[in-house]
Amino acid sequence: MAMQPDETITVEDAVQVLAMVGDLSMGLPPDHSIRTARLAARLAEENGDGADACTSTRLVALLRWSGSTATAAGFAHLLGDDVLGRHAMVTRTLSGHSALTFANVLPLAQMQCEVAGDIAVLLGLPGDVENSLRHLFGSHHRGDMQDVLFAPNIPRAVFYVRLAGDLEVLAPAHGTDGALRLIGERAGVKYPATLVQRLSPHAQAWLAMLDEPSCAADYPGHDRRVPLSIVADVIELKLPWLTGYSRRVAALARRSASLAGMLALEESPLVRAALLHGIGKVAVPNVVWERPGKLTDTDWDQVRKVPFWTARAGAQIPAIQGETTLASFIYERLDGSGYFRKARGDAMGMQERLLSAAAAFVSLRSPRPWRPVHGEAAASTLMTAQAAAGRFDRRAVEAVLAAVRAPAPSAPVRDRLLSERELEVLRHISQGETSREAARAMRISPASVRMHVDNIFQKLESGSRPAATLKALARGLI
């Protein structure tokens, strides 16, 4: 089934959105990757590389952290706070009592490389960009993140981006001289010493000029359109129980808008907003999202900033500004009890009202760490009661519930790559279930689940669950 225009985004805009998602996920400023890309491109030029290499280097830098949502759960386990913890890790301000070791970080680094490389493939970016992203945090050939990595099989863009990224992130924390000192300690290990020597005389001046764009964003295929769902899927790797959530909200919003009599012109932004609304979620630590009990006041302070960060993405990326502004109303309620604006009444048009109702219903129908899933009847009753109490728009809720009751649209022809049993296993593990949990739910042995997982990985050419999930979503398998 062909994509509808409102479900697509240009490659360049997708790269920009994913750059910001990566920055927020790492606890970095939302323009960190943009600044790193400008530094890396200058470094490539200084080293005598041509325009094509400069462009590839820019893309690698922008997607440097794009796979970081896939490792959020792993770093949350190691550091407690996957957002602030990783910020401290990359700025080298992490406590000396950290639980990080080479052995437990390496698998996460490899997973992040794999997912970033897969993202490049999904976006149709050049092979050298994909190859660089797969080598960015370690050598898969040597299995060592700290060996002499400037071997012939390591693309030069890797070193430009590593070095530029370190300078950009270390300078605010340690000053330019302190950053160069820390960089010098890794010269000859993380990047060639000769490259550090080329950078050092220019470091201060280049940092001062980071507001000036370097390489142009007009590489071949930059305006080709790709599924906007790629962005939603990457975001939701952060919390496996979110898998497919934004897609379901978008689908329900589309059906509801049609039943509510909206024009296609009004319907399109709804679908796009639904697919983009999760951007701000990556800025909140997993420990908050996974908390089984009541959120603390500090937790709520972070959660209320989610729609703010989503709106901020639009301010940085004009192509999605209208949709992210709409998306930032998704948690507002007519009685003013929502967030982050505490908008009420006339401040919310029918698009905002319908989007918030669709998202709330899909959320109720999905299990969460702090509550079990609501059945369709229970969710419908609760939404109707909330509308009667003035929290949701009555017409919007009626349209959403009518869309839920309407016959389901015909399912697209399923990709036959996986067997029915493998698809069932994939659905369980993509939601974050362990092999033991999936086995219990499916009433088979954990060994059988592991055997199916091995087969799934082989067929999807994936080495990790997040990578398999991303590919399966893109292929319409789950």
Side-chain angles (χ1 to χ4, degrees):
M1 188 164 63
M3 288 183 294
Q4 299 193 44
D6 56 15
E7 296 173 348
T8 66
I9 188 171
T10 68
V11 169
E12 174 61 20
D13 289 332
V15 168
Q16 295 280 341
V17 178
L18 291 169
M20 185 174 187
V21 166
D23 291 344
L24 292 176
S25 185
M26 295 293 296
L28 296 166
D31 62 347
H32 162 73
S33 289
I34 290 175
R35 292 165 62 85
T36 297
R38 291 170 181 167
L39 271 175
R42 290 187 185 279
L43 195 51
E45 291 168 348
E46 181 69 19
N47 205 42
D49 283 18
D52 288 349
C54 170
T55 297
S56 292
T57 297
R58 171 185 175 273
L59 289 168
V60 174
L62 288 171
L63 293 175
R64 180 189 189 205
W65 301 120
S66 61
S68 61
T69 51
T71 58
F75 278 107
H77 176 72
L78 293 176
L79 300 170
D81 184 323
D82 56 294
V83 179
L84 291 180
R86 287 192 287 187
H87 176 271
M89 181 179 70
V90 298
T91 56
R92 299 212 230 165
T93 55
L94 199 60
S95 161
H97 303 294
S98 164
L100 296 186
T101 66
F102 178 79
N104 60 30
V105 170
L106 180 60
L108 295 175
Q110 291 175 331
M111 184 189 300
Q112 195 155 312
C113 285
E114 179 185 17
V115 171
D118 289 347
I119 289 169
V121 173
L122 290 173
L123 296 177
L125 295 175
D128 61 337
V129 175
E130 176 202 348
N131 192 31
S132 295
L133 288 167
R134 294 197 189 280
H135 285 90
L136 202 50
F137 298 110
S139 166
H140 294 284
H141 302 281
R142 293 281 299 278
D144 185 349
M145 287 192 296
Q146 296 297 324
D147 63 355
V148 182
L149 291 178
F150 27 98
N153 63 325
I154 307 295
R156 287 199 295 195
V158 167
F159 306 120
Y160 300 144
V161 173
R162 283 181 181 173
L163 183 50
D166 277 3
L167 177 62
E168 205 288 323
V169 83
L170 292 172
H174 304 277
T176 305
D177 290 341
L180 289 174
R181 177 180 54 77
L182 291 170
I183 284 169
E185 292 173 2
R186 296 192 178 183
V189 178
K190 191 175 182 181
Y191 14 68
T194 51
L195 204 56
V196 175
Q197 291 166 5
R198 286 189 186 278
L199 169 73
S200 297
H202 305 288
Q204 188 65 57
W206 287 356
L207 285 168
M209 296 167 61
L210 283 183
D211 291 333
E212 301 176 17
S214 47
C215 293
D218 59 355
Y219 49 91
H222 75 281
D223 55 354
R224 182 171 43 80
R225 301 194 75 83
V226 294
L228 185 56
S229 54
I230 292 172
V231 173
D233 296 342
V234 170
I235 289 168
E236 290 171 356
L237 292 178
K238 176 176 167 69
L239 297 157
W241 44 264
L242 269 181
T243 299
Y245 171 68
S246 294
R247 286 172 175 258
R248 295 193 295 276
V249 175
L252 182 56
R254 183 190 295 284
R255 300 198 308 273
S256 305
S258 176
L259 290 170
M262 280 190 174
L263 301 173
L265 194 65
E266 300 172 289
E267 178 185 304
S268 174
L270 268 179
V271 173
R272 297 175 65 80
L275 292 170
L276 289 166
H277 86 274
I279 292 172
K281 289 178 181 173
V282 301
V284 178
N286 276 23
V287 67
V288 174
W289 295 123
E290 301 278 4
R291 203 178 301 286
K294 188 177 179 181
L295 294 184
T296 66
D297 289 343
T298 303
D299 291 341
W300 269 113
D301 286 344
Q302 296 191 73
V303 170
R304 289 189 186 103
K305 289 178 183 174
V306 167
F308 164 79
W309 284 115
T310 300
R312 175 75 180 272
Q316 184 169 301
I317 308 161
I320 61 167
Q321 186 162 13
E323 293 92 335
T324 52
T325 299
L326 173 57
S328 70
F329 278 84
I330 202 164
Y331 304 111
E332 302 290 357
R333 300 294 181 257
L334 289 182
D335 62 358
S337 62
Y339 55 92
F340 69 106
R341 297 177 180 85
K342 293 193 174 296
R344 61 171 64 234
D346 293 342
M348 297 173 66
M350 193 57 187
Q351 286 177 318
E352 288 83 358
R353 297 174 186 216
L354 197 60
L355 182 62
S356 64
F361 184 86
V362 175
S363 179
L364 288 171
R365 293 286 290 120
S366 308
R368 295 292 183 251
W370 56 90
R371 60 155 175 80
V373 63
H374 287 68
E376 184 178 312
S380 298
T381 299
L382 185 55
M383 291 295 297
T384 301
Q386 294 276 298
R391 296 196 78 213
F392 291 103
D393 180 86
R394 191 184 302 271
R395 278 181 54 219
V397 169
E398 288 173 353
V400 166
L401 298 184
V404 170
R405 291 191 297 266
S410 57
V413 177
R414 174 164 285 164
D415 189 321
R416 297 294 182 183
L417 178 66
L418 303 181
S419 70
E420 288 302 319
R421 181 60 102 181
E422 288 166 348
L423 285 170
E424 188 180 1
V425 169
L426 180 57
R427 281 191 286 269
H428 282 282
I429 68 167
S430 69
Q431 295 286 337
E433 293 183 18
T434 64
S435 295
R436 189 174 296 278
E437 289 168 338
R440 189 181 305 118
M442 296 173 64
R443 298 185 179 181
I444 59 177
S445 70
S448 294
V449 170
R450 288 192 290 270
M451 179 192 70
H452 288 305
V453 170
D454 288 343
N455 289 338
I456 291 166
F457 282 9
Q458 184 176 8
K459 290 181 178 181
L460 290 175
E461 298 181 357
S462 296
S464 65
R465 294 187 181 202
T469 298
L470 188 62
K471 285 184 176 179
L473 285 164
R475 296 183 68 146
L477 294 170
I478 54 175

